Amino acid sequence: MTALIGHDDAWREWHAAMAGSRMHHGWILSGREGLGKSMFAHAAAAELMAEQGVSQPPVEMHPDILTLRPLPANDDEVKKRDDGKAFLTKRNISVDQVREIQRRLNTRPTLGSRRAVIIDAADQLEKGAVNALLKSLEEPPQGTFFLLVVHALGRLLPTVRSRCQILRFHTLTDAEVARALDSVAPQLDSATRTAALAVAGGSPGAALAFAEQDLAKAQAIFTSLVERGDPDLALRGALAGALGARPDRERQMAAIEAARMTVVRALAHASDTATLRLVEAHARLVKLAAEAPIYNFDTGMLLMEIGSLLASAAPTREDVR
């Protein structure tokens, strides 16, 4: 199980809890998206299910490991999922999904004495779903454990946090991200691999998402925008060619994250006056990332906004005086 790169501390804490006399029923797996928390949750759930003399099926087919995640966005996306293709999801996990799981919790586990409920991700629960989940966290059925994958702990209600143990996942080192990326995508060309590692920010998932979207050309433009600005709008115009005329939501989100990490890297060697502009650009990119899945932005306007934010953070004459 410890084959998950960079999370030995989390495994040690989990195994110590399992070895204790009374393991807590609720766990929050907290950390940046793309660190492998979902993989950890499923591997940990498999360990919970293991009982001597009881044959255990694969995790994805286990009747006592129940996973809640956002459903496909519409019927077309359902078909893509059923065909094994990438598909878009709804923004939230609904209250009906939580209630369906709760109905299943009224019965005994199928194979052994334990059952695991994985919520991926709990910060995507709609308000009614959170309130419904609280009832189960307050009075958990015997032998039931909850594993809540959380990307932004601050978005989770204090009433949920107070009923769970928090297992924190830290970002990986550059070398660990490189190992993870090479293990799952050894076919990457050198330019794409280098660019993916540059924007990863300690997250193998972010590096892989970037690589899958083939954003190396866009990343080069992002870097130029931050380093020298764009007084004649030429770089911003080139973004459309680098990202395509109609990038889907996943490609848009990967581009915003790459732009954000470009700013983060620039902050590491910025002057005091440049830092203020970079911090402002970063804050606005974070806001843009939160709004992009909700609002149907015009593609051209979105690319212009990303380019303008990066260009606004470029050095000025005052920075070199």
Side-chain angles (χ1 to χ4, degrees), residues 8 29 52 58 73 84 90 99 108 113 115 117 129 156 160 174 176 188 195 205 217 230 282 296 307:
D8 290 350
L29 280 54
Q52 188 173 1
K90 295 181 179 179
R99 288 173 176 162
R108 293 178 59 83
S113 61
R115 176 185 279 134
V117 177
L156 205 60
V160 175
D174 291 346
E176 288 170 336
L188 292 179
K217 291 181 180 178
D230 188 27
H282 183 270
N296 187 23

Side-chain angles (χ1 to χ4, degrees), residues 22-316:
R22 188 174 181 181
M23 187 171 181
H24 201 283
H25 70 276
W27 290 80
I28 290 173
L29 280 54
S30 174
R32 184 185 170 191
E33 189 169 3
L35 295 179
K37 302 187 299 299
S38 180
M39 293 174 62
F40 184 102
H42 284 83
E47 291 192 352
L48 279 172
M49 298 303 106
E51 293 186 23
Q52 188 173 1
V54 180
S55 178
Q56 302 290 335
V59 172
E60 61 274 10
M61 300 173 60
H62 202 296
D64 297 323
I65 299 177
L66 312 177
T67 302
L68 266 180
R69 53 172 61 95
L71 296 171
N74 52 48
D75 290 344
D76 288 340
E77 300 305 320
V78 170
K79 187 175 186 305
K80 291 179 184 178
R81 179 198 64 184
D82 294 345
D83 291 341
K85 300 177 181 178
F87 62 94
L88 297 178
T89 65
K90 295 181 179 179
R91 291 192 297 272
N92 300 111
I93 298 170
S94 71
V95 63
D96 289 340
Q97 289 177 263
V98 173
R99 288 173 176 162
E100 175 59 28
I101 288 290
Q102 289 172 324
R103 283 191 285 271
R104 296 182 64 177
L105 298 183
N106 290 328
T107 63
R108 293 178 59 83
T110 302
L111 297 180
S113 61
R114 291 176 171 179
R115 176 185 279 134
V117 177
I118 298 170
I119 303 181
D120 185 10
D123 39 2
Q124 292 175 305
L125 289 163
E126 64 183 26
K127 184 176 180 180
V130 174
N131 292 332
L133 176 65
L134 275 172
K135 297 177 182 178
S136 294
L137 290 175
E138 290 168 351
E139 300 178 8
Q142 185 174 359
T144 297
F145 296 84
F146 293 87
L147 299 170
L148 280 58
V149 175
V150 177
H151 305 316
L153 190 58
R155 293 206 297 259
L156 205 60
L157 289 178
T159 47
V160 175
R161 297 201 300 267
S162 66
R163 288 164 173 78
C164 299
Q165 294 282 103
I166 298 178
L167 193 59
R168 298 185 185 276
F169 288 72
H170 303 288
T171 53
L172 276 59
T173 66
D174 291 346
E176 288 170 336
V177 173
R179 283 172 52 207
L181 188 62
D182 290 343
S183 69
V184 296
Q187 77 285 355
L188 292 179
D189 62 77
S190 178
T192 299
R193 180 183 182 276
T194 299
L197 294 175
V199 303
S203 167
L208 183 59
F210 178 92
E212 289 176 341
Q213 292 295 340
D214 190 22
L215 291 172
K217 291 181 180 178
Q219 174 59 27
I221 296 173
F222 292 159
T223 300
S224 295
L225 282 163
V226 168
E227 290 180 349
R228 65 174 190 265
D230 188 27
D232 60 0
L233 303 182
L235 290 173
R236 274 167 278 193
L239 273 179
L243 287 171
R246 297 176 62 85
D248 61 22
R249 187 173 71 184
E250 297 301 320
R251 189 166 174 78
Q252 290 177 19
M253 295 305 298
I256 295 172
E257 177 63 9
R260 187 187 72 82
M261 287 308 303
T262 302
V263 173
V264 169
R265 291 200 316 279
L267 275 166
H269 50 77
S271 65
D272 290 343
T273 54
T275 294
L276 295 175
R277 293 193 306 278
L278 288 164
V279 168
E280 173 63 19
H282 183 270
R284 291 173 67 183
L285 284 165
V286 169
K287 182 180 179 182
L288 189 62
E291 294 174 343
I294 301 173
Y295 302 110
N296 187 23
F297 288 127
D298 173 84
T299 300
M301 293 299 295
L302 177 64
L303 297 182
M304 183 61 70
E305 177 69 7
I306 294 172
S308 296
L309 289 175
L310 295 176
S312 71
T316 65

